[in-house]
Amino acid sequence: MVETLLDTERIGRLERLAAWLGLASLDGVGVSTLWQIAEGGDVEAEWRLRSNSAMRTAAHAAAQVHLDAGIVFTEHGDEAHPSLSYGDPHVPAVLLWRSGAPLPPRASLPTVGIVGTRRASRLGTEVARELGAACASAGIRVVSGLANGIDAAAHRGALSADGAPPIGVVGTGLDVVYPPRNAELWNEVAHRGALCSEYPLGTEPAPWRFPARNRILVAQSDVVVVVESSDRGGSLITAGLAGERGVPVLAVPGSVRSQTAVGTNRLLADGCQPCLGPEDIFMALGFERRPDPGNAGGPGEQIELFDASLSDADTAVLDALGWEPMSSEALANACPQLSLGTLLVAVQGLVRRGVLADRDGWLERIR
């Protein structure tokens, strides 16, 4: 009897997924039309009206492929679906998920979206990783887009804390890893948390899909933090969508000379709250729990950067470098008062102490 009920449920889910996949594949059927169909209630009947036998057979086969791959789907009314109402402008009528565990209700844990530029600085990636670790350690799910730079760093931090499971919102099919270099991270987020997409399996990346997925990221978030951003790009789109939805936006301040801080500093000038550390995220979420710095991987540690051991040459190097990456040649030109030998000793010492990073001849201050 139990097996019969389970079989009936599986068949029902298969038919409903086939209807959704079939409808979404039709010309002229977009997000708003799918919402209208969802609100009408009888998705399968609508699909039968709009399809022929061959189309239904193809949609059924596609749905079977999804279920065989372990893909589950949610729609409005399901606890894991983040829509607030029918026609929610920030959430599709149907979402596809890949997860190593049953999907928890959307409201079961607080969530923070951590986003930023793909061309992140070393300092920016460290901040994103630390924020991700601190939040996951404190029981906050980290949501991001699995892009290079800030997104990937935030997810790596969340995974390192072994705390609240992360969520990755992607702009491709759940079997199309993009960017390919993040394949290991992608699979780890899927295994220990969840991946989410509005696109069927096999959907390849396209430039317009990534700004579109940002609305889903916002809908999954109780707070959005922009770590680094240029003066235009996806992170600012995400911040704008969050403002539309009433989701608080925090921004990490940066140097006025840094191109990766132009967007975040502009957000601050426009009235966003600053994020100076994980405590600001906790406050925005309305709770007071503080992570143990040792457990969270260091976000709460206060590192004394300037002490009596800094030499005059060290200070000259840091003053000349500022917070922008600089080639070794440019730094030498900016420090004419130092001999080449003195400059080299100062730089090597600052790198050893973790104040500078040397990346293929480009020096960047990270503390």
Side-chain angles (χ1 to χ4, degrees):
M1 181 66 174
V2 173
E3 290 183 0
T4 301
L5 290 174
L6 290 175
D7 287 342
T8 301
E9 182 180 351
R10 278 194 290 267
I11 292 172
R13 297 293 284 177
L14 175 63
E15 294 302 326
R16 193 163 182 86
L17 178 56
W20 278 123
L21 292 175
L23 288 166
S25 70
L26 297 177
D27 290 339
V29 175
V31 174
S32 60
T33 302
L34 291 175
W35 266 124
Q36 291 170 8
I37 294 171
E39 191 168 8
D42 200 336
V43 177
E44 292 92 333
E46 187 68 27
W47 169 234
R48 287 193 295 271
L49 286 173
R50 294 171 179 254
S51 62
N52 57 38
S53 177
M55 294 165 65
R56 290 191 288 274
T57 298
H60 187 279
Q64 189 64 64
V65 168
H66 281 71
L67 296 183
D68 290 346
I71 305 301
V72 299
F73 70 97
T74 60
E75 50 193 324
H76 182 66
D78 293 337
E79 289 186 328
H81 204 71
S83 55
L84 300 176
S85 62
Y86 283 109
D88 189 325
H90 298 106
V91 184
V94 179
L95 286 173
L96 300 170
W97 300 80
R98 176 184 163 197
S99 178
L103 296 175
R106 164 66 179 86
S108 62
L109 289 174
T111 54
V112 56
I114 301 179
V115 298
T117 180
R118 290 172 171 82
R119 298 178 179 85
S121 69
R122 174 70 176 270
L123 179 62
T125 57
E126 287 192 355
V127 169
R129 185 181 181 104
E130 290 171 357
L131 292 176
C135 288
S137 179
I140 303 167
R141 300 192 78 175
V142 173
V143 186
S144 203
L146 281 170
N148 288 330
I150 297 301
D151 289 23
H155 270 140
R156 289 191 175 98
L159 291 168
S160 73
D162 198 22
I167 300 173
V169 183
V170 301
T172 62
L174 293 171
D175 59 337
V176 180
V177 179
Y178 187 83
R181 65 184 292 185
N182 286 348
E184 183 177 352
L185 178 63
W186 176 292
N187 291 324
E188 191 68 11
V189 170
H191 176 67
R192 294 169 56 184
L195 293 181
C196 170
S197 177
E198 64 182 307
Y199 304 114
L201 295 179
T203 301
E204 295 291 334
W208 62 269
R209 298 190 195 279
F210 297 100
R213 66 93 192 270
N214 292 346
R215 74 194 198 284
I216 305 172
L217 190 156
V218 167
Q220 297 278 6
S221 304
D222 297 315
V223 172
V224 168
V225 179
V226 184
V227 177
E228 282 187 330
S229 175
S230 63
D231 60 348
R232 62 189 63 176
S235 301
L236 298 186
I237 293 174
T238 304
L241 291 169
E244 292 176 7
R245 197 174 180 85
V247 175
V249 177
L250 280 62
V252 176
S255 168
V256 295
R257 293 184 176 180
S258 173
Q259 291 301 309
T260 60
V262 173
T264 49
N265 287 341
R266 177 54 58 193
L267 288 173
L268 293 169
D270 289 343
C272 286
Q273 293 297 310
C275 179
L276 306 181
E279 292 79 9
D280 290 318
I281 300 175
F282 304 150
M283 290 180 64
L285 288 168
F287 71 104
E288 299 180 353
R289 181 178 177 184
R290 297 292 186 270
D292 175 1
N295 185 41
E301 293 182 35
Q302 297 297 316
I303 302 173
E304 189 65 43
L305 302 181
F306 299 101
D307 53 42
S309 64
L310 279 178
S311 67
D312 291 341
D314 295 336
T315 301
V317 168
L318 294 177
D319 288 344
L321 188 59
W323 293 95
E324 282 286 288
M326 184 180 290
S327 68
S328 301
E329 182 180 358
L331 180 61
N333 292 333
C335 299
Q337 73 275 32
L338 301 180
S339 68
L340 189 57
T342 301
L343 177 65
L344 182 61
V345 169
V347 167
Q348 289 176 340
L350 291 168
V351 169
R352 282 197 304 271
R353 290 152 65 186
V355 179
L356 299 184
D358 185 348
R359 295 188 291 185
D360 299 324
W362 284 83
L363 298 167
E364 183 177 359
R365 183 174 173 179
I366 56 177
R367 290 177 180 164

